Amino acid sequence: MLLDRFPRMDNLNKRGIILQGEEALCSFCKEANETLEHSLFKCKFAIDVWNACYRWLGLFSAMHKKPIQHFMIHDCSWLGSHKNKVWKSVWGATVWALWCHRNNLIFGEQSLDLDSVVETIKFKSWLWLESYVKAFHFSFFEWFSNPMSSLQSL
């Protein structure tokens, strides 16, 4: 994603695979052309997803519109290795869940559903952390219901 190689509508259009117009619109809002920045960081639906994640974590954050800057605000290496992995896992899970939801919309497998995306983020980030952070020994219930408590215990 940070290398700008996702097969989004604007990239497909540049390659002559899709036409301009309605086909090129954002799968979430249908109001703007689908670009990486728009679909993951500018679209109202994406912003709502990020805000729901931040509320779940008990945080407020500036939301950069460029992927690299957005990623960098989740680089908390000053907190230590384990906590930094937590923040990056939540960021990665959010981007991954938005992209999967977008694909499910395109291929008709799902309708627009904020709660479903946020639940996926919570579950996927927990799975990744359980697998990759040795000090992360929290049940899904603990992570789901109080992520900040889990983070402070690392």
Side-chain angles (χ1 to χ4, degrees):
M1 189 212 58
L2 296 175
L3 297 175
D4 196 27
R5 294 190 178 146
F6 272 43
R8 349 170 269 288
M9 298 303 180
D10 66 325
N11 273 350
L12 296 173
N13 186 34
K14 287 177 193 172
R15 295 181 177 121
I17 296 171
I18 63 166
L19 303 174
Q20 250 327 13
E22 196 169 309
E23 276 187 320
L25 293 178
C26 171
S27 302
F28 297 134
C29 69
K30 304 286 188 205
E31 294 176 4
N33 284 344
E34 183 183 80
T35 64
L36 184 67
E37 290 87 5
H38 178 80
S39 295
L40 299 178
F41 308 112
K42 291 181 180 178
C43 174
K44 172 150 178 27
F45 180 76
I47 290 169
D48 289 346
V49 168
W50 286 105
N51 283 331
C53 286
Y54 293 144
R55 277 192 308 277
W56 167 59
L57 295 166
L59 299 173
F60 296 95
S61 179
M63 294 223 278
H64 292 279
K65 305 303 183 197
K66 298 287 184 192
I68 193 70
Q69 284 96 357
H70 200 280
F71 177 74
M72 293 307 293
I73 66 170
H74 293 83
D75 180 18
C76 301
S77 51
W78 51 272
L79 287 174
S81 174
H82 296 309
K83 291 179 183 178
N84 192 32
K85 285 180 183 176
V86 170
W87 293 121
K88 287 183 179 181
S89 292
V90 171
W91 188 87
T94 304
V95 169
W96 181 86
L98 280 165
W99 191 255
C100 289
H101 196 67
R102 171 226 180 245
N103 288 342
N104 289 337
L105 289 170
I106 290 172
F107 298 110
E109 298 172 13
Q110 199 170 4
S111 58
L112 199 61
D113 185 354
L114 176 74
D115 293 333
S116 170
V117 175
V118 174
E119 297 298 312
T120 299
I121 293 162
K122 292 174 182 180
F123 182 66
K124 190 56 78 173
S125 62
W126 176 78
L127 270 180
W128 290 347
L129 291 165
E130 270 289 299
S131 298
Y132 299 114
V133 178
K134 291 180 181 164
F136 191 86
H137 301 292
F138 305 100
S139 69
F140 177 67
F141 176 76
E142 290 169 316
W143 176 245
F144 180 88
S145 60
N146 195 348
M148 287 308 285
S149 177
S150 300
L151 180 61
Q152 289 170 351
S153 299
L154 287 176

